[in-house]
Amino acid sequence: MQLIGIEEHILTPEVLQAWHDLGLEAQDPSVAFHGGPIAGRLMDLAQQRLALMDETGMDMQVLSLTTPMLHDLGAESVDLARRTNDLLAEAIARHPERFQGFATLPVSQPDEAALELERCVKELGFTGTMLCGRVGEHNLDAPFLAPIFQSAARLKAPILLHPRMPSPAVRQAYYSGFHPELDVAFAAFGLGWHYDAGIQFLRLVLSGTFDRLPDLQVILGHWGEVVLFYAERLAAMDRFSRLRRPIADYLRDNLYVTASGMFMPHYLERALAIVGPERLLFSTDFPYQYRSGGDARQFLDTCGLEGEDKAAFAHGNWLRLNRSLTI
């Protein structure tokens, strides 16, 4: 059974250098995570990556620039995004049976980002884009970012909404006071990343983004970035939201959910109950969650899904979503 992972990351030396030139480590300490063996795996778009895919049982990866992407860069990100996307397109052309791509966007320049997304979908054959939370001090529902979401909806290009480090003020208020290493872990992969991504999705819902753009599709990793586990509490906001539909409808109609290497059947069961079998996607969060021993294939075999539902989770839902792209 074909197995496609849709949250699988890359990094380029040029982007890494741009982060360092900006001094981004001072604002976002997760930049330091991209060193050592992880950096080698992120930057490899050839044989080493393919070998690890084979070892874990993955047939195809949908590649995306890792967080924090280009969100903190200014006008210089326009050309950098184009070069990053062209490099990724070249890697896909070398291995079209193994790789697809999410567009890297110059998100601080929304009009240019909308055009770059269109180029990536229509000319490079990419399958959507990835965003990673705030743009500077702005949440994703900020009106000036609307061109990006309008372009994605028009193209029917899904947006993978990826975690990023909370702002320094939030880290100081909620994730500090232990020791530096623990503070960073708590604010990042321990919990902060996931709250941040889930909140960004909910802000899109509550701001009426999906009422204005009903065709817009968003993907949340890590089994819904905590959001799905509080669906009942979220529904209590229906009395005050002034939205056109109950919040539960947006979870079923505008959200896809993927595993991100968190291979836990009881999390899958919760996602299945909220969004349904046609909105589950597979991913391994390579290279961060990579584990040897045929890990991805073993989870597919033991996840509890059978027949058509298993095939949909492994590849069918993603292929169906791709077919809706306006190319």
Side-chain angles (χ1 to χ4, degrees):
M1 182 177 292
Q2 187 183 28
L3 189 54
I4 301 175
I6 63 95
E7 186 187 335
E8 322 298 331
H9 301 301
I10 69 164
L11 181 60
T12 72
E14 187 178 21
V15 170
L16 183 61
Q17 186 61 53
W19 291 346
H20 291 324
D21 291 345
L22 190 64
L24 192 56
E25 300 94 329
Q27 293 290 320
D28 187 342
S30 70
V31 170
F33 297 167
H34 305 116
I38 289 291
R41 290 179 177 178
L42 282 166
M43 293 184 188
D44 183 89
L45 293 173
Q47 294 309 313
Q48 181 192 26
R49 182 179 290 260
L50 293 171
L52 293 178
M53 288 170 62
D54 291 342
E55 194 280 332
T56 198
M58 295 296 298
D59 296 297
M60 178 177 283
Q61 289 185 345
V62 184
L63 303 173
S64 53
L65 181 66
T66 193
T67 188
M69 302 186 73
L70 308 184
H71 282 227
D72 298 281
L73 280 69
E76 71 274 19
S77 65
V78 176
D79 289 339
L80 180 54
R82 288 183 65 91
R83 291 193 296 272
T84 302
N85 291 322
D86 289 344
L87 184 150
L88 182 54
E90 292 171 3
I92 294 169
R94 290 193 295 270
H95 302 283
E97 303 299 321
R98 307 303 302 272
F99 297 146
Q100 293 182 350
F102 277 133
T104 297
L105 301 182
V107 288
S108 69
Q109 315 295 308
D111 291 332
E112 290 85 351
L115 292 173
E116 180 62 7
L117 177 57
E118 184 171 0
R119 182 183 82 95
C120 286
V121 170
K122 292 189 174 183
E123 297 181 20
L124 302 184
F126 285 11
T127 53
T129 189
M130 190 179 95
L131 302 178
C132 59
R134 292 166 294 102
V135 181
E137 296 302 315
H138 299 279
N139 293 305
L140 290 181
D141 61 299
F144 89 101
L145 295 172
I148 297 173
F149 295 97
Q150 292 165 356
S151 180
R154 183 175 64 255
L155 295 165
K156 296 187 176 179
I159 296 174
L160 173 60
L161 182 51
H162 192 274
R164 72 164 300 177
M165 187 70 78
S167 69
V170 171
R171 296 202 309 271
Q172 179 63 32
Y174 289 103
Y175 300 105
S176 66
F178 303 103
H179 57 79
E181 294 85 358
L182 182 56
D183 289 353
V184 170
F186 188 21
F189 50 81
L191 194 60
W193 271 352
H194 310 295
Y195 276 3
D196 189 78
I199 287 171
Q200 294 300 325
F201 171 74
L202 290 175
R203 291 191 65 96
L204 293 175
V205 173
L206 296 172
S207 64
T209 299
F210 298 107
D211 286 343
R212 295 186 294 274
L213 302 170
D215 290 333
L216 181 64
Q217 299 296 319
V218 169
I219 304 165
L220 282 179
H222 308 95
W223 299 116
E225 307 293 4
V226 187
V227 167
L228 297 189
F229 295 91
Y230 281 82
E232 290 86 355
R233 300 296 291 176
L234 298 175
M237 291 191 287
D238 288 340
R239 292 174 292 164
F240 312 104
S241 70
R242 301 179 183 176
L243 297 171
R244 295 176 187 172
R245 297 180 289 155
I247 290 172
D249 284 5
Y250 303 100
L251 299 181
R252 288 192 297 267
D253 298 339
N254 299 98
L255 178 64
Y256 285 79
V257 178
T258 186
S260 307
M262 296 175 64
F263 294 151
M264 290 175 275
H266 56 296
Y267 280 18
L268 185 154
E269 291 173 8
R270 176 60 173 172
L272 181 66
I274 301 298
V275 303
E278 69 282 356
R279 288 182 168 268
L280 299 181
L281 302 171
F282 199 92
S283 64
T284 72
D285 200 6
F286 183 90
Y288 305 106
Q289 292 278 75
Y290 171 77
R291 294 172 292 260
S292 61
D295 199 48
R297 185 68 59 173
Q298 285 184 24
F299 179 67
L300 179 67
D301 291 342
T302 60
C303 69
L305 297 175
E306 299 292 342
E308 292 182 1
D309 287 348
K310 178 185 284 190
F313 178 43
H315 62 268
N317 291 335
W318 177 246
L319 295 179
R320 187 184 68 253
L321 188 55
N322 283 184
R323 285 195 292 271
S324 71
L325 284 171
T326 303
I327 299 177

